[in-house]
PDB file of all heavy atoms in Angstrom:
ATOM      1  N   PRO D 403     115.764  91.913 112.270  1.00  0.00           N
ATOM      2  CA  PRO D 403     116.422  92.431 111.060  1.00  0.00           C
ATOM      3  C   PRO D 403     115.613  92.168 109.785  1.00  0.00           C
ATOM      4  O   PRO D 403     114.875  91.190 109.704  1.00  0.00           O
ATOM      5  CB  PRO D 403     117.747  91.690 111.045  1.00  0.00           C
ATOM      6  CG  PRO D 403     117.466  90.404 111.767  1.00  0.00           C
ATOM      7  CD  PRO D 403     116.459  90.729 112.808  1.00  0.00           C
ATOM      8  N   SER D 404     115.776  93.075 108.825  1.00  0.00           N
ATOM      9  CA  SER D 404     115.182  92.925 107.506  1.00  0.00           C
ATOM     10  C   SER D 404     116.270  93.178 106.475  1.00  0.00           C
ATOM     11  O   SER D 404     117.404  93.532 106.820  1.00  0.00           O
ATOM     12  CB  SER D 404     114.026  93.914 107.325  1.00  0.00           C
ATOM     13  OG  SER D 404     114.486  95.251 107.449  1.00  0.00           O
ATOM     14  N   HIS D 405     115.917  92.980 105.206  1.00  0.00           N
ATOM     15  CA  HIS D 405     116.906  93.192 104.139  1.00  0.00           C
ATOM     16  C   HIS D 405     116.375  94.222 103.151  1.00  0.00           C
ATOM     17  O   HIS D 405     115.242  94.103 102.664  1.00  0.00           O
ATOM     18  CB  HIS D 405     117.223  91.872 103.435  1.00  0.00           C
ATOM     19  CG  HIS D 405     118.009  90.932 104.299  1.00  0.00           C
ATOM     20  ND1 HIS D 405     117.416  90.072 105.200  1.00  0.00           N
ATOM     21  CD2 HIS D 405     119.352  90.739 104.411  1.00  0.00           C
ATOM     22  CE1 HIS D 405     118.353  89.385 105.833  1.00  0.00           C
ATOM     23  NE2 HIS D 405     119.533  89.764 105.373  1.00  0.00           N
ATOM     24  N   GLU D 406     117.175  95.214 102.878  1.00  0.00           N
ATOM     25  CA  GLU D 406     116.822  96.274 101.935  1.00  0.00           C
ATOM     26  C   GLU D 406     118.008  96.497 101.006  1.00  0.00           C
ATOM     27  O   GLU D 406     119.123  96.767 101.471  1.00  0.00           O
ATOM     28  CB  GLU D 406     116.485  97.572 102.683  1.00  0.00           C
ATOM     29  CG  GLU D 406     115.311  97.425 103.648  1.00  0.00           C
ATOM     30  CD  GLU D 406     115.056  98.685 104.466  1.00  0.00           C
ATOM     31  OE1 GLU D 406     115.654  99.736 104.129  1.00  0.00           O
ATOM     32  OE2 GLU D 406     114.281  98.614 105.431  1.00  0.00           O
ATOM     33  N   PHE D 407     117.767  96.363  99.737  1.00  0.00           N
ATOM     34  CA  PHE D 407     118.816  96.549  98.724  1.00  0.00           C
ATOM     35  C   PHE D 407     120.048  95.714  99.073  1.00  0.00           C
ATOM     36  O   PHE D 407     121.192  96.172  98.942  1.00  0.00           O
ATOM     37  CB  PHE D 407     119.177  98.034  98.588  1.00  0.00           C
ATOM     38  CG  PHE D 407     118.048  98.887  98.068  1.00  0.00           C
ATOM     39  CD1 PHE D 407     117.233  99.599  98.944  1.00  0.00           C
ATOM     40  CD2 PHE D 407     117.785  98.951  96.711  1.00  0.00           C
ATOM     41  CE1 PHE D 407     116.185 100.374  98.468  1.00  0.00           C
ATOM     42  CE2 PHE D 407     116.739  99.726  96.217  1.00  0.00           C
ATOM     43  CZ  PHE D 407     115.934 100.432  97.107  1.00  0.00           C
ATOM     44  N   GLY D 408     119.806  94.504  99.556  1.00  0.00           N
ATOM     45  CA  GLY D 408     120.890  93.585  99.843  1.00  0.00           C
ATOM     46  C   GLY D 408     121.629  93.851 101.141  1.00  0.00           C
ATOM     47  O   GLY D 408     122.662  93.207 101.401  1.00  0.00           O
ATOM     48  N   GLU D 409     121.134  94.768 101.962  1.00  0.00           N
ATOM     49  CA  GLU D 409     121.789  95.106 103.228  1.00  0.00           C
ATOM     50  C   GLU D 409     120.889  94.733 104.401  1.00  0.00           C
ATOM     51  O   GLU D 409     119.660  94.868 104.326  1.00  0.00           O
ATOM     52  CB  GLU D 409     122.126  96.599 103.276  1.00  0.00           C
ATOM     53  CG  GLU D 409     123.084  97.030 102.168  1.00  0.00           C
ATOM     54  CD  GLU D 409     123.245  98.541 102.069  1.00  0.00           C
ATOM     55  OE1 GLU D 409     122.392  99.270 102.624  1.00  0.00           O
ATOM     56  OE2 GLU D 409     124.214  98.986 101.420  1.00  0.00           O
ATOM     57  N   THR D 410     121.504  94.293 105.494  1.00  0.00           N
ATOM     58  CA  THR D 410     120.758  93.931 106.691  1.00  0.00           C
ATOM     59  C   THR D 410     120.498  95.186 107.526  1.00  0.00           C
ATOM     60  O   THR D 410     121.412  95.974 107.788  1.00  0.00           O
ATOM     61  CB  THR D 410     121.528  92.896 107.526  1.00  0.00           C
ATOM     62  OG1 THR D 410     121.838  91.774 106.701  1.00  0.00           O
ATOM     63  CG2 THR D 410     120.702  92.425 108.710  1.00  0.00           C
ATOM     64  N   VAL D 411     119.232  95.342 107.928  1.00  0.00           N
ATOM     65  CA  VAL D 411     118.799  96.590 108.554  1.00  0.00           C
ATOM     66  C   VAL D 411     118.038  96.308 109.845  1.00  0.00           C
ATOM     67  O   VAL D 411     117.166  95.437 109.892  1.00  0.00           O
ATOM     68  CB  VAL D 411     117.881  97.394 107.593  1.00  0.00           C
ATOM     69  CG1 VAL D 411     117.340  98.646 108.268  1.00  0.00           C
ATOM     70  CG2 VAL D 411     118.628  97.750 106.316  1.00  0.00           C
ATOM     71  N   LEU D 412     118.356  97.078 110.889  1.00  0.00           N
ATOM     72  CA  LEU D 412     117.550  97.147 112.103  1.00  0.00           C
ATOM     73  C   LEU D 412     116.904  98.524 112.151  1.00  0.00           C
ATOM     74  O   LEU D 412     117.584  99.546 111.947  1.00  0.00           O
ATOM     75  CB  LEU D 412     118.404  96.962 113.357  1.00  0.00           C
ATOM     76  CG  LEU D 412     119.034  95.602 113.617  1.00  0.00           C
ATOM     77  CD1 LEU D 412     119.842  95.660 114.911  1.00  0.00           C
ATOM     78  CD2 LEU D 412     117.954  94.535 113.722  1.00  0.00           C
ATOM     79  N   ARG D 413     115.598  98.565 112.423  1.00  0.00           N
ATOM     80  CA  ARG D 413     114.902  99.839 112.565  1.00  0.00           C
ATOM     81  C   ARG D 413     114.648 100.117 114.043  1.00  0.00           C
ATOM     82  O   ARG D 413     114.022  99.323 114.735  1.00  0.00           O
ATOM     83  CB  ARG D 413     113.561  99.810 111.819  1.00  0.00           C
ATOM     84  CG  ARG D 413     113.632 100.264 110.396  1.00  0.00           C
ATOM     85  CD  ARG D 413     112.235 100.351 109.786  1.00  0.00           C
ATOM     86  NE  ARG D 413     112.261 101.069 108.525  1.00  0.00           N
ATOM     87  CZ  ARG D 413     112.682 100.545 107.381  1.00  0.00           C
ATOM     88  NH1 ARG D 413     113.094  99.288 107.363  1.00  0.00           N
ATOM     89  NH2 ARG D 413     112.689 101.255 106.275  1.00  0.00           N
ATOM     90  N   LEU D 414     115.122 101.275 114.508  1.00  0.00           N
ATOM     91  CA  LEU D 414     114.900 101.708 115.882  1.00  0.00           C
ATOM     92  C   LEU D 414     114.057 102.977 115.877  1.00  0.00           C
ATOM     93  O   LEU D 414     113.898 103.622 114.842  1.00  0.00           O
ATOM     94  CB  LEU D 414     116.235 102.006 116.581  1.00  0.00           C
ATOM     95  CG  LEU D 414     117.417 101.070 116.357  1.00  0.00           C
ATOM     96  CD1 LEU D 414     118.604 101.555 117.174  1.00  0.00           C
ATOM     97  CD2 LEU D 414     117.058  99.649 116.717  1.00  0.00           C
ATOM     98  N   LYS D 415     113.551 103.336 117.041  1.00  0.00           N
ATOM     99  CA  LYS D 415     112.891 104.627 117.198  1.00  0.00           C
ATOM    100  C   LYS D 415     113.595 105.393 118.303  1.00  0.00           C
ATOM    101  O   LYS D 415     113.845 104.867 119.382  1.00  0.00           O
ATOM    102  CB  LYS D 415     111.408 104.453 117.520  1.00  0.00           C
ATOM    103  CG  LYS D 415     110.578 104.057 116.315  1.00  0.00           C
ATOM    104  CD  LYS D 415     109.085 104.161 116.589  1.00  0.00           C
ATOM    105  CE  LYS D 415     108.269 103.871 115.333  1.00  0.00           C
ATOM    106  NZ  LYS D 415     106.808 103.976 115.587  1.00  0.00           N
ATOM    107  N   ASP D 416     113.913 106.650 117.999  1.00  0.00           N
ATOM    108  CA  ASP D 416     114.559 107.482 119.007  1.00  0.00           C
ATOM    109  C   ASP D 416     113.505 107.993 119.989  1.00  0.00           C
ATOM    110  O   ASP D 416     112.322 107.689 119.841  1.00  0.00           O
ATOM    111  CB  ASP D 416     115.367 108.602 118.338  1.00  0.00           C
ATOM    112  CG  ASP D 416     114.521 109.747 117.803  1.00  0.00           C
ATOM    113  OD1 ASP D 416     113.290 109.733 117.955  1.00  0.00           O
ATOM    114  OD2 ASP D 416     115.108 110.689 117.230  1.00  0.00           O
ATOM    115  N   PRO D 417     113.875 108.749 121.023  1.00  0.00           N
ATOM    116  CA  PRO D 417     112.893 109.178 122.029  1.00  0.00           C
ATOM    117  C   PRO D 417     111.749 110.012 121.483  1.00  0.00           C
ATOM    118  O   PRO D 417     110.683 110.082 122.109  1.00  0.00           O
ATOM    119  CB  PRO D 417     113.749 109.986 123.016  1.00  0.00           C
ATOM    120  CG  PRO D 417     115.117 109.407 122.896  1.00  0.00           C
ATOM    121  CD  PRO D 417     115.260 109.069 121.451  1.00  0.00           C
ATOM    122  N   ASP D 418     111.927 110.645 120.324  1.00  0.00           N
ATOM    123  CA  ASP D 418     110.846 111.411 119.698  1.00  0.00           C
ATOM    124  C   ASP D 418     110.017 110.567 118.741  1.00  0.00           C
ATOM    125  O   ASP D 418     109.074 111.071 118.126  1.00  0.00           O
ATOM    126  CB  ASP D 418     111.416 112.611 118.951  1.00  0.00           C
ATOM    127  CG  ASP D 418     111.994 113.654 119.880  1.00  0.00           C
ATOM    128  OD1 ASP D 418     111.207 114.303 120.594  1.00  0.00           O
ATOM    129  OD2 ASP D 418     113.224 113.795 119.922  1.00  0.00           O
ATOM    130  N   GLY D 419     110.374 109.284 118.582  1.00  0.00           N
ATOM    131  CA  GLY D 419     109.633 108.413 117.682  1.00  0.00           C
ATOM    132  C   GLY D 419     110.131 108.407 116.264  1.00  0.00           C
ATOM    133  O   GLY D 419     109.525 107.776 115.390  1.00  0.00           O
ATOM    134  N   PHE D 420     111.243 109.102 115.980  1.00  0.00           N
ATOM    135  CA  PHE D 420     111.772 109.137 114.627  1.00  0.00           C
ATOM    136  C   PHE D 420     112.530 107.838 114.339  1.00  0.00           C
ATOM    137  O   PHE D 420     113.217 107.293 115.202  1.00  0.00           O
ATOM    138  CB  PHE D 420     112.711 110.331 114.441  1.00  0.00           C
ATOM    139  CG  PHE D 420     112.971 110.678 113.008  1.00  0.00           C
ATOM    140  CD1 PHE D 420     112.108 111.500 112.308  1.00  0.00           C
ATOM    141  CD2 PHE D 420     114.070 110.164 112.340  1.00  0.00           C
ATOM    142  CE1 PHE D 420     112.338 111.810 110.971  1.00  0.00           C
ATOM    143  CE2 PHE D 420     114.309 110.462 111.015  1.00  0.00           C
ATOM    144  CZ  PHE D 420     113.432 111.288 110.328  1.00  0.00           C
ATOM    145  N   ILE D 421     112.413 107.351 113.100  1.00  0.00           N
ATOM    146  CA  ILE D 421     113.029 106.076 112.726  1.00  0.00           C
ATOM    147  C   ILE D 421     114.513 106.264 112.425  1.00  0.00           C
ATOM    148  O   ILE D 421     114.904 107.095 111.595  1.00  0.00           O
ATOM    149  CB  ILE D 421     112.324 105.463 111.502  1.00  0.00           C
ATOM    150  CG1 ILE D 421     110.863 105.139 111.823  1.00  0.00           C
ATOM    151  CG2 ILE D 421     113.052 104.194 111.052  1.00  0.00           C
ATOM    152  CD1 ILE D 421     110.046 104.708 110.617  1.00  0.00           C
ATOM    153  N   VAL D 422     115.325 105.496 113.131  1.00  0.00           N
ATOM    154  CA  VAL D 422     116.775 105.462 112.910  1.00  0.00           C
ATOM    155  C   VAL D 422     117.136 104.036 112.515  1.00  0.00           C
ATOM    156  O   VAL D 422     116.877 103.100 113.277  1.00  0.00           O
ATOM    157  CB  VAL D 422     117.553 105.871 114.173  1.00  0.00           C
ATOM    158  CG1 VAL D 422     119.053 105.839 113.912  1.00  0.00           C
ATOM    159  CG2 VAL D 422     117.118 107.249 114.655  1.00  0.00           C
ATOM    160  N   LYS D 423     117.717 103.859 111.340  1.00  0.00           N
ATOM    161  CA  LYS D 423     118.106 102.530 110.879  1.00  0.00           C
ATOM    162  C   LYS D 423     119.584 102.292 111.155  1.00  0.00           C
ATOM    163  O   LYS D 423     120.409 103.184 110.953  1.00  0.00           O
ATOM    164  CB  LYS D 423     117.825 102.372 109.384  1.00  0.00           C
ATOM    165  CG  LYS D 423     116.351 102.524 109.011  1.00  0.00           C
ATOM    166  CD  LYS D 423     116.055 102.064 107.595  1.00  0.00           C
ATOM    167  CE  LYS D 423     116.746 102.887 106.548  1.00  0.00           C
ATOM    168  NZ  LYS D 423     116.334 102.503 105.172  1.00  0.00           N
ATOM    169  N   LEU D 424     119.907 101.097 111.611  1.00  0.00           N
ATOM    170  CA  LEU D 424     121.285 100.641 111.704  1.00  0.00           C
ATOM    171  C   LEU D 424     121.501  99.633 110.592  1.00  0.00           C
ATOM    172  O   LEU D 424     120.812  98.612 110.528  1.00  0.00           O
ATOM    173  CB  LEU D 424     121.564 100.011 113.073  1.00  0.00           C
ATOM    174  CG  LEU D 424     121.358 100.911 114.294  1.00  0.00           C
ATOM    175  CD1 LEU D 424     121.719 100.161 115.571  1.00  0.00           C
ATOM    176  CD2 LEU D 424     122.169 102.199 114.178  1.00  0.00           C
ATOM    177  N   VAL D 425     122.422  99.939 109.704  1.00  0.00           N
ATOM    178  CA  VAL D 425     122.652  99.121 108.519  1.00  0.00           C
ATOM    179  C   VAL D 425     124.013  98.432 108.638  1.00  0.00           C
ATOM    180  O   VAL D 425     125.027  99.096 108.851  1.00  0.00           O
ATOM    181  CB  VAL D 425     122.606  99.976 107.235  1.00  0.00           C
ATOM    182  CG1 VAL D 425     122.832  99.101 106.002  1.00  0.00           C
ATOM    183  CG2 VAL D 425     121.274 100.712 107.135  1.00  0.00           C
ATOM    184  N   GLY D 426     124.001  97.115 108.504  1.00  0.00           N
ATOM    185  CA  GLY D 426     125.246  96.349 108.571  1.00  0.00           C
ATOM    186  C   GLY D 426     126.020  96.469 107.278  1.00  0.00           C
ATOM    187  O   GLY D 426     125.821  95.678 106.347  1.00  0.00           O
ATOM    188  N   VAL D 427     126.874  97.473 107.206  1.00  0.00           N
ATOM    189  CA  VAL D 427     127.681  97.689 106.014  1.00  0.00           C
ATOM    190  C   VAL D 427     129.003  98.294 106.467  1.00  0.00           C
ATOM    191  O   VAL D 427     129.036  99.236 107.255  1.00  0.00           O
ATOM    192  CB  VAL D 427     126.962  98.600 104.993  1.00  0.00           C
ATOM    193  CG1 VAL D 427     126.542  99.930 105.612  1.00  0.00           C
ATOM    194  CG2 VAL D 427     127.821  98.847 103.763  1.00  0.00           C
ATOM    195  N   ASP D 428     130.081  97.744 106.015  1.00  0.00           N
ATOM    196  CA  ASP D 428     131.399  98.182 106.460  1.00  0.00           C
ATOM    197  C   ASP D 428     131.807  99.452 105.731  1.00  0.00           C
ATOM    198  O   ASP D 428     132.173  99.423 104.549  1.00  0.00           O
ATOM    199  CB  ASP D 428     132.430  97.077 106.246  1.00  0.00           C
ATOM    200  CG  ASP D 428     132.156  95.856 107.127  1.00  0.00           C
ATOM    201  OD1 ASP D 428     131.726  96.061 108.282  1.00  0.00           O
ATOM    202  OD2 ASP D 428     132.353  94.723 106.658  1.00  0.00           O
ATOM    203  N   MET D 429     131.728 100.573 106.441  1.00  0.00           N
ATOM    204  CA  MET D 429     132.117 101.878 105.901  1.00  0.00           C
ATOM    205  C   MET D 429     133.026 102.531 106.943  1.00  0.00           C
ATOM    206  O   MET D 429     132.571 103.274 107.801  1.00  0.00           O
ATOM    207  CB  MET D 429     130.878 102.749 105.632  1.00  0.00           C
ATOM    208  CG  MET D 429     129.900 102.140 104.633  1.00  0.00           C
ATOM    209  SD  MET D 429     128.394 103.138 104.431  1.00  0.00           S
ATOM    210  CE  MET D 429     129.058 104.573 103.576  1.00  0.00           C
ATOM    211  N   PRO D 430     134.307 102.216 106.922  1.00  0.00           N
ATOM    212  CA  PRO D 430     135.226 102.687 107.957  1.00  0.00           C
ATOM    213  C   PRO D 430     135.227 104.208 108.092  1.00  0.00           C
ATOM    214  O   PRO D 430     135.036 104.933 107.119  1.00  0.00           O
ATOM    215  CB  PRO D 430     136.589 102.172 107.487  1.00  0.00           C
ATOM    216  CG  PRO D 430     136.271 101.029 106.575  1.00  0.00           C
ATOM    217  CD  PRO D 430     134.985 101.398 105.906  1.00  0.00           C
TER     218      PRO D 430
END
Side-chain angles (χ1 to χ4, degrees):
S404 60
H405 290 86
E406 300 175 11
F407 295 97
E409 299 171 343
T410 305
V411 176
L412 292 180
R413 270 186 167 77
L414 319 181
K415 284 191 175 180
D416 76 2
D418 291 291
F420 197 85
I421 297 172
V422 181
K423 299 193 296 186
L424 300 182
V425 181
V427 55
D428 294 323
M429 300 176 70

